[in-house]
Amino acid sequence: MLEDASAEADPWAAWLAARRRQPLHLPDYRPAAVLVALTREADPRVLLTVRSTELPTHQGQISFPGGSLEDGEGVVAAALREAWEEVGLDPAQADVLGELDDVFTPVGFHVTPVLARIPAQPTLRLSGEVAQILLPSLSGLRALTPSRETRHMPDGQPVVLYRYPWQGHDIWGMTARVLHDLLDSGPL
């Protein structure tokens, strides 16, 4: 298990610092943020949710905790607020490392994923928006072979979409794109 981040260099912080972040400029899209929370373990687990079937959109889909930015709110504050509202993750338990590459959704959201480390055994709870909390290990996800499909960004650029079948769940869309970045180029 990893020691406290101050006692030992965090490989995810080093990985993020060595990257050149790829922002998107989508002024007609609604700004949103998600929290990509990795547990502090040698083989980190990633915090995912199964969205409630009672929600008006994206029912039953696998997602990171997140949502739209409120007026005047930054992406880090929004990601932490949404994680608190959706799964009860105390913002004080999240050590924010920085922002990953922006992504978009076909329904008009411009999403900034915020990478953070959380305790190995985080205190979490379900909300009305979340039917189930998932904590798959990165090694378990890396062992999967995702399916691939090419779509186009609003500016016409091609983008590859991924689907990860994990323990009876179908991880796809924006969530799978962010996961693929972590799994494909993140530290082992």
Side-chain angles (χ1 to χ4, degrees):
M1 212 183 274
L2 289 175
E3 298 295 323
D4 184 293
S6 61
E8 183 178 341
D10 187 316
W12 289 94
W15 171 75
L16 192 62
R19 292 171 51 99
R20 183 163 189 248
R21 185 176 176 286
Q22 299 295 314
L24 293 175
H25 180 69
L26 299 170
D28 296 332
Y29 279 52
R30 188 171 179 178
V34 296
L35 188 69
V36 180
L38 303 178
T39 59
R40 288 193 177 283
E41 300 174 88
D43 182 12
R45 292 170 293 134
V46 61
L47 175 60
L48 298 172
T49 68
V50 178
R51 292 176 51 87
S52 170
T53 57
E54 303 300 315
L55 293 172
T57 60
H58 310 293
Q59 303 93 341
Q61 291 182 5
I62 309 300
S63 65
F64 296 105
S68 296
L69 274 62
E70 294 181 351
D71 287 339
E73 187 176 46
V75 293
V76 171
L80 292 172
R81 175 184 51 77
E82 288 284 347
W84 168 252
E85 291 173 3
E86 292 180 18
V87 296
L89 179 67
D90 182 347
Q93 288 191 322
D95 180 18
V96 174
L97 303 179
E99 299 170 14
L100 297 170
D101 296 346
D102 287 349
V103 291
F104 70 95
T105 68
V107 295
F109 285 96
H110 173 182
V111 182
T112 301
V114 175
L115 183 63
R117 297 302 296 267
I118 61 174
Q121 300 300 322
T123 301
L124 304 172
R125 63 162 167 71
L126 295 177
S127 71
E129 296 179 46
V130 176
Q132 186 179 0
I133 295 171
L134 307 176
L135 285 162
S137 70
L138 292 186
S139 67
L141 292 172
R142 276 191 176 116
L144 301 174
T145 301
S147 63
R148 300 165 192 246
E149 175 185 338
T150 300
R151 295 240 181 122
H152 291 86
M153 291 180 53
D155 65 4
Q157 294 291 326
V159 62
V160 178
L161 302 182
Y162 302 92
R163 283 187 113 97
Y164 290 88
W166 180 78
Q167 295 187 4
H169 297 282
D170 183 20
I171 304 170
W172 63 281
M174 187 270 313
T175 302
R177 276 186 282 165
V178 174
L179 271 178
H180 182 75
D181 188 30
L182 291 176
L183 300 171
D184 190 52
S185 64
L188 297 175

